[in-house]
Amino acid sequence: MIRRSILLSLLALAFTTASRAEETAQASQRAHDEIWRRFIDSYGIMIDFADMDGKVSLPTPEECREGKPNALGWWAPIENGAMFNGLYMDAAVNRWKRTQAATDAEKARKLMQGLLLLNSISDVKGFVGRGVSTDGKSHYPMGSNDQTLPWFLGLWRYWQSGIATDAEKAKITEHLKTTAEEIVRLGWKMPAEVPFGTRGSFEGFHFEETARKLFTMKMLHAVTGDAKWQKAYLDELAKRGGEKQLTKREICAGGMVFFYAKTHNWTSCTAVGALRALWELETDAALKADYARGLVASAKLAAEALPLAQKWDNADTSPFEMNWRVMNADWKPQTTEKEAQELAMVQLKTFLKASPRRSKETAFVREPTAAAWIVTLCPDATVLNTHAPEVEKVIARYDFTKLYYSQFFWVEMAWERLKDRS
């Protein structure tokens, strides 16, 4: 009787596990379908939000030139194209590796072409745009470090995926090299258009800056073979600074740290993605182990945000204002980054009053789904298996057809990595 009871329990557990795995896989597929139905524009760039039919009013060329709603493009539907495309490439590449389907290869290629377009729309060398207007070229004059690092990361993922042709690899290498060299020339600042000059930097001793800069150096050595990048990378690892006077190697080993909000997995995940890439690229066993420690620490911190997903209500009917131009009531000309940012924060208050749905999606969808991907970037199977059930709950939590924002794409990225755990 005892043996029979144990056997029945084991069979029930196996059935439950298989059922949960199937549910999670189906949820990931639904997320994939919804992203490609509503949120990838005709140029292969992911937009921020759309209605349930995939309709959105893009900023006009004139609005982009005038900086409406603001010169940063914050809160507009083309705010995060470089960031989201670059990150989402992780899912596209891993999906193709799993399916080997030509249609999946073409989706990854379309994302890559969108990334290259965003580096080709400005006369400013090394500029990486956020998105494009109705003409496929007009854009806001400032990108950022949050946009540029994923741009590097996504193109590298495609370059080394096995999908890229020799011609594509050569073209991507040239874009990566030219952009990186211009950023270095500017003291590791991101190029921006007149009158702004630059915006954002990879320079500093915070985890995010450290991982971004080291990845850029290591990646450039991998794609170009130029020894100068490897030397710069090794020199950078030994640099010491910040409040705790740590080396950059020690900072990486410490992992993700929140600093401007209680949690901000959605922006910090770019640096954790860079750290994962460093772990993959590194051949020195001791240094690779330090990167692994940083990924473990990052996964544990991110896991604390996973329960936020359970606060989401799929039946919520809070209004969302598709007409983002309501923010133009606060508009005024901007000539500095500070002026643009101050305007954007005033406009956000206006937008949130008209769109209370926005804050709910960013808090209970964007944050836990980004956290789920961070967890799955951890190479430690024990840590990953510990948090896998909660990650699966996040992936299966949402009705993606009822979300206005595209910022659930991390669930597909998480599932494509989670399924391979041992």
Side-chain angles (χ1 to χ4, degrees):
M1 291 295 292
I2 294 175
R3 288 180 180 177
R4 183 181 179 184
S5 177
I6 292 174
L7 179 60
L8 289 173
S9 296
L10 290 174
L11 287 173
L13 177 62
F15 178 80
T16 301
T17 301
S19 177
R20 187 176 62 197
E22 180 61 23
E23 180 185 9
T24 309
Q26 290 175 0
S28 176
Q29 181 63 44
R30 289 194 296 271
H32 173 89
D33 293 343
E34 202 62 17
I35 286 292
W36 287 94
R37 183 178 77 88
R38 289 198 286 145
F39 297 109
I40 305 296
D41 72 12
S42 60
Y43 303 100
I45 302 168
M46 190 182 294
I47 60 172
D48 276 63
F49 58 85
D51 71 11
M52 301 306 110
D53 295 321
K55 295 177 182 177
V56 63
S57 180
L58 298 178
T60 65
E62 292 76 17
E63 286 171 327
C64 288
R65 284 194 294 270
E66 294 173 0
K68 291 182 177 179
N70 54 75
L72 289 160
W74 286 4
W75 333 132
I78 59 170
E79 179 186 351
N80 291 295
M83 179 183 179
F84 293 172
N85 260 48
L87 293 175
Y88 189 53
M89 185 67 79
D90 190 68
V93 165
N94 286 331
R95 181 184 175 91
W96 173 79
K97 288 180 178 179
R98 172 173 58 84
T99 68
Q100 293 293 296
T103 52
D104 288 326
E106 282 307 305
K107 286 177 178 178
R109 178 167 286 112
K110 187 169 185 177
L111 295 174
M112 177 273 292
Q113 291 168 344
L115 289 169
L116 291 185
L117 175 63
L118 292 174
N119 192 224
S120 308
I121 53 179
S122 176
D123 293 332
V124 173
K125 189 176 182 180
F127 177 83
V128 176
R130 295 171 174 272
V132 292
S133 178
T134 52
D135 61 357
K137 181 176 176 64
S138 297
H139 53 276
Y140 292 108
M142 287 186 280
S144 73
N145 45 12
D146 286 334
Q147 302 295 315
T148 302
L149 186 280
W151 180 86
F152 277 126
L153 187 62
L155 286 176
W156 171 73
R157 284 275 173 217
Y158 184 85
W159 184 93
Q160 55 87 59
S161 67
I163 303 172
T165 65
D166 289 343
E168 287 174 336
K169 291 181 78 170
K171 186 174 184 179
I172 290 168
T173 298
E174 188 59 32
H175 276 262
L176 294 172
K177 179 182 174 182
T178 300
T179 301
E181 288 180 344
E182 183 63 11
I183 289 171
V184 171
R185 189 187 72 81
L186 294 171
W188 288 93
K189 296 178 181 179
M190 310 301 110
E193 294 181 334
V194 174
F196 303 101
T198 63
R199 181 172 188 274
S201 174
F202 289 175
E203 192 65 88
F205 285 90
H206 189 273
F207 167 72
E208 294 190 11
E209 300 152 345
T210 297
R212 288 166 174 170
K213 188 175 180 182
L214 286 169
F215 164 72
T216 302
M217 292 172 166
K218 187 69 172 174
M219 177 269 294
L220 261 292
H221 177 247
V223 301
T224 68
D226 192 333
K228 74 176 184 181
W229 292 107
Q230 177 69 3
K231 182 181 185 303
Y233 164 75
L234 294 175
D235 291 344
E236 194 71 19
L237 281 166
K239 290 183 179 178
R240 187 180 297 276
E243 292 182 6
K244 297 182 179 180
Q245 286 297 299
L246 299 175
T247 66
K248 293 201 169 183
R249 178 171 179 166
E250 291 169 334
I251 292 170
C252 283
M256 178 174 70
V257 179
F258 297 140
F259 65 99
Y260 70 84
K262 185 177 180 181
T263 67
H264 44 83
N265 288 284
W266 84 282
T267 49
S268 291
C269 76
T270 66
V272 183
L275 185 62
R276 169 67 190 217
L278 283 167
W279 179 82
E280 293 175 23
L281 288 164
E282 188 51 63
T283 57
D284 179 274
L287 181 51
K288 192 179 184 78
D290 281 342
Y291 291 151
R293 279 191 284 274
L295 290 166
V296 168
S298 299
K300 290 180 177 178
L301 179 58
E304 296 176 7
L306 297 177
L308 289 172
Q310 304 313 309
K311 294 185 178 182
W312 175 256
D313 179 6
N314 282 312
D316 184 89
T317 57
S318 300
F320 179 79
E321 177 56 78
M322 285 298 300
N323 180 22
W324 54 269
R325 291 180 176 87
V326 297
M327 293 183 285
N328 286 341
D330 300 312
W331 181 84
K332 59 183 178 181
Q334 312 127 71
T335 58
T336 67
E337 177 189 344
K338 183 174 182 292
E339 289 177 352
Q341 189 163 326
E342 288 175 347
L343 171 61
M345 297 315 294
V346 170
Q347 292 172 321
L348 180 59
K349 294 179 181 179
T350 298
F351 200 30
L352 288 176
K353 288 180 181 178
S355 301
R357 172 76 172 214
R358 184 188 191 279
S359 59
K360 293 182 179 180
E361 289 199 25
T362 56
F364 305 134
V365 181
R366 182 177 71 182
E367 193 63 9
T369 59
W373 182 57
I374 292 173
V375 171
T376 64
L377 291 172
C378 180
D380 187 311
T382 300
V383 173
L384 187 53
N385 286 328
T386 297
H387 298 296
E390 193 68 28
V391 171
E392 290 173 333
K393 287 173 64 178
V394 172
I395 295 171
R397 182 76 181 105
Y398 306 101
D399 181 348
F400 305 111
T401 65
K402 295 180 179 179
L403 298 177
Y404 288 93
Y405 279 89
S406 61
Q407 295 165 33
F408 58 83
F409 64 86
W410 283 284
V411 301
E412 186 184 351
M413 296 160 64
W415 184 80
E416 289 291 349
R417 286 188 173 274
L418 188 67
K419 66 179 175 53
D420 291 330
R421 74 186 189 279
S422 57

